[in-house]
Amino acid sequence: GQQLNQSPQSMFIQEGEDVSMNCTSSSIFNTWLWYKQDPGEGPVLLIALYKAGELTSNGRLTAQFGITRKDSFLNISASIPSDVGIYFCAGQLDAGGTSYGKLTFGQGTILTVHP
Amino acid sequence: KAGVTQTPRYLIKTRGQQVTLSCSPISGHRSVSWYQQTPGQGLQFLFEYFSETQRNKGNFPGRFSGRQFSNSRSEMNVSTLELGDSALYLCASSWGPTLGGQPQHFGDGTRLSIL
């Protein structure tokens, strides 16, 4: 099925470093979402983007909706140990009935932060 | 505000059995989506319900079914369980009436293991 290409697959960084990850698609999305998932828990929404070119921040997190509507990135500044987890991008198409409630997810970026 | 609640958290079944999972959405949310998460396939969309009607369905066999009640609570059922059905099943809710513009919020999932 349709997939989002998320990169990198994993990152090992030192505490205090900045992190950047991105997602690309061959299809146009009208919504981009970024989630974080910790072991044994469900994904938690970090940032939601609804307009091409939109840049949104949530504390140390910043995400942008690409102007082509086919990509998005997430930046984390000054990483801390609790940033450890799996980050997922998700997009929703604007294709009528086949889009209701359906998010397409990237493969995830596993983030490890060394103190 | 209570989040999305999924029960049970863990379930062990054997091949050939059937199982029913439950999801209570965030109060006021009328759309419920279900996803299957596995290490190999990632997060895959199963189906979405709004106002007791299935509006969208992913590419899963007919053994996977669901329903939604008038209070927006939802259940999903898997019949004739196979080993490959072992996964984390996630439920997500959103406000729902329109396409896009509303983020989905996830529960912590039901971990289903098939022996």
Side-chain angles (χ1 to χ4, degrees), chain B residues 20-97:
Chain B
T20 300
L21 313 180
S22 179
C23 172
S24 293
I26 291 172
S27 178
H29 284 189
R30 294 162 62 189
S31 169
V32 173
S33 295
W34 289 88
Y35 296 84
Q36 181 195 65
Q37 185 175 28
T38 59
Q41 298 299 315
L43 281 140
Q44 300 287 319
F45 172 76
L46 281 157
F47 31 64
E48 186 258 7
Y49 286 86
F50 176 79
S51 290
E52 302 178 65
T53 300
Q54 186 184 88
R55 292 193 300 187
N56 199 4
K57 190 177 189 306
N59 296 323
F60 279 82
R63 300 184 296 108
F64 292 81
S65 63
R67 60 178 175 169
Q68 187 180 36
F69 302 94
S70 58
N71 61 358
S72 295
R73 190 177 70 85
S74 178
E75 290 180 347
M76 68 163 282
N77 184 79
V78 188
S79 62
T80 319
L81 287 165
E82 300 176 359
L83 292 177
D85 296 334
S86 293
L88 180 67
Y89 289 89
L90 292 160
C91 163
S93 76
S94 66
W95 178 54

Side-chain angles (χ1 to χ4, degrees), chain A residues 35 37 40 42 50 98 101 103, chain B residues 9 33 35 37 56 103-104 107-108:
Chain A
Y35 291 89
Q37 187 174 26
Y50 303 110
T98 60
L103 295 178
Chain B
R9 288 296 311 275
S33 295
Y35 296 84
Q37 185 175 28
N56 199 4
Q104 292 184 17
D108 284 335

Side-chain angles (χ1 to χ4, degrees), chain A residues 39-62:
Chain A
E41 299 181 8
V44 174
L45 181 68
L46 299 174
I47 292 180
L49 303 159
Y50 303 110
K51 293 181 181 178
E54 180 181 0
L55 184 70
T56 297
S57 293
N58 178 10
R60 294 179 296 104
L61 278 60
T62 301

